[in-house]
Amino acid sequence: MSPAGPHRPATGPVPGPSGGADRALPARRGAAVPAPVPRVGAGRRRDRRGRGLRGPVLPMTSPGYRTRAERFDDLVLDAVEDLERRWARQLDGVEFAVEDVPPSDPAPWEHGGVPLGRYFPADAGLPHRIVVYRRPVEARAHDATDLPDLVRDVVVEQVAHLLGRAPEDVDPGYDDGH
């Protein structure tokens, strides 16, 4: 017999196939629906065979632990840190970001080709922003040893655009051979 009476269904959470509450039914005659009671051990889940959580596939010390995107972010940060040593005052407050791909609508000054990076001037309270597009830069690099140089060149070009200078003035090691 249910707590609501001999012929009335109980209201409140309905246990789902996993034992937790899948949905709550409306209460009859204005009665409040009780909050679902958390299961004991709900923080740790086991797989379907009753085994515990599995560990990481790769240990943190292996090179494959970090994703390609995280390694690319590090390359951009390294390039920015090198430039900030020389241009700290001019780059104060500039935001640097990495996005996977550029938006599908090109900027008015971009004619043909896929941009590798963009400079967005300060606008409506937003600071200056420089965005590097990861996938086009990776596609343009000849190999893994060429990628850090290409990332550095893209960041230097965008900073030069921000400062209104030639890339060679911003970084004497700039190479326009790409």
Side-chain angles (χ1 to χ4, degrees), residues 58-81:
L58 296 172
M60 293 176 68
T61 56
S62 72
Y65 181 75
R66 294 182 47 86
T67 65
R68 189 170 41 179
E70 290 171 335
R71 290 190 301 263
F72 189 87
D73 292 347
D74 289 342
L75 292 175
V76 172
L77 287 175
D78 291 344
V80 169
E81 286 175 2

Side-chain angles (χ1 to χ4, degrees), residues 5-29:
H7 302 304
R8 290 190 196 131
T11 59
V14 176
S18 64
D22 283 348
R23 61 189 170 95
L25 296 176
R28 295 186 184 257
R29 298 186 189 157

Side-chain angles (χ1 to χ4, degrees), residues 21-67:
D22 283 348
R23 61 189 170 95
L25 296 176
R28 295 186 184 257
R29 298 186 189 157
V33 176
V37 178
R39 294 183 306 170
V40 176
R44 280 191 72 118
R45 303 189 81 195
R46 295 187 177 271
D47 66 4
R48 66 182 180 170
R49 292 177 183 86
R51 297 185 189 122
L53 296 173
R54 296 188 176 188
V57 175
L58 296 172
M60 293 176 68
T61 56
S62 72
Y65 181 75
R66 294 182 47 86
T67 65

Side-chain angles (χ1 to χ4, degrees), residues 59-125:
M60 293 176 68
T61 56
S62 72
Y65 181 75
R66 294 182 47 86
T67 65
R68 189 170 41 179
E70 290 171 335
R71 290 190 301 263
F72 189 87
D73 292 347
D74 289 342
L75 292 175
V76 172
L77 287 175
D78 291 344
V80 169
E81 286 175 2
D82 290 344
L83 290 175
E84 281 183 336
R85 286 188 200 117
R86 185 171 183 192
W87 302 96
R89 190 174 52 84
Q90 291 87 346
L91 295 178
D92 187 36
V94 176
E95 291 182 355
F96 292 86
V98 173
E99 290 184 5
D100 283 343
V101 294
S104 59
D105 57 333
W109 61 88
E110 296 170 340
H111 303 289
V114 177
L116 303 178
R118 278 193 184 147
Y119 160 65
F120 296 95
D123 185 35

